Amino acid sequence: RRAAMAGHSARMQRVSGGVPAPAPPRQAAIQGATWRSTITRAKRMAAELFYLDYKNGVQTEIENLFLELESAKQRVEALNQNVKSATEFYRLTNARFDNRLVGADELSRSIADLAAANSRLAAEQNRVYELGLRILLESSLKNFENKLRLP
């Protein structure tokens, strides 16, 4: 029967001037359904890929925030040592000033150094707090809201 259909098709092309004959209505409906299912499948796959890409992006962002947080915590430790050093230097300079071994400019410089060290420490501590909140916000809005609730 297929051979007969193939011969019929070839005859129709000769009669119609080389233009292929249209598919029978049932075959066209089957082809349309196949295309619709292919398009639906492609749309579903595209949505899944978009979701996975978004999910991977969020995961990467959270991992980067954790790395930044760890780095900021280490900087806080180093800045704590810096504040201790500046405090000790101020204490020594103040004692030398009281004994008139250094001038007011040296004392002022040690006070400014201590203030700058405290300022850098406070800024880095704020950074640690901010990164912690960003991690909570990225990971879950509910966790973020619970963390900010006042007692």
Side-chain angles (χ1 to χ4, degrees), residues 2-22:
R2 285 190 177 193
M5 290 296 286
H8 173 72
S9 192
R11 269 193 308 278
M12 287 301 289
Q13 283 183 354
R14 278 193 302 263
V15 170
S16 63
V19 177

Side-chain angles (χ1 to χ4, degrees), residues 24-148:
R26 184 162 188 250
Q27 187 179 358
I30 291 171
Q31 287 174 347
T34 302
W35 277 107
R36 279 191 298 277
S37 100
T38 302
I39 290 170
T40 303
R41 195 174 332 119
K43 285 181 180 178
R44 189 176 336 112
M45 287 174 63
E48 287 174 9
L49 285 174
F50 178 78
Y51 171 73
L52 288 174
D53 186 49
Y54 175 77
K55 186 177 164 184
N56 288 338
V58 169
Q59 182 71 27
T60 301
E61 179 69 23
I62 290 172
E63 289 170 0
N64 287 341
L65 286 172
F66 271 110
L67 292 173
E68 281 184 58
L69 179 62
E70 189 60 34
S71 175
K73 285 180 179 180
Q74 290 174 358
R75 282 192 302 272
V76 165
E77 288 177 23
L79 289 171
N80 269 326
Q81 293 301 315
N82 197 6
V83 167
K84 286 180 184 177
S85 297
T87 301
E88 184 60 22
F89 182 70
Y90 164 73
R91 190 185 67 74
L92 293 172
T93 305
N94 193 32
R96 290 179 9 189
F97 178 76
D98 288 344
N99 292 323
R100 300 185 198 282
L101 298 172
V102 295
D105 60 331
E106 178 105 14
L107 180 62
S108 295
R109 222 178 352 262
S110 70
I111 292 171
D113 289 344
L114 179 58
N118 279 319
S119 175
R120 285 191 298 272
L121 175 61
E124 200 61 35
Q125 287 170 332
N126 285 338
R127 178 78 176 139
V128 167
Y129 181 73
E130 174 197 337
L131 288 168
L133 290 179
R134 282 185 61 198
I135 289 170
L136 284 173
L137 186 57
E138 289 280 341
S139 62
S140 168
L141 184 58
K142 185 170 283 203
N143 287 342
F144 179 74
E145 290 171 344
N146 288 338
K147 182 72 172 179
L148 291 182

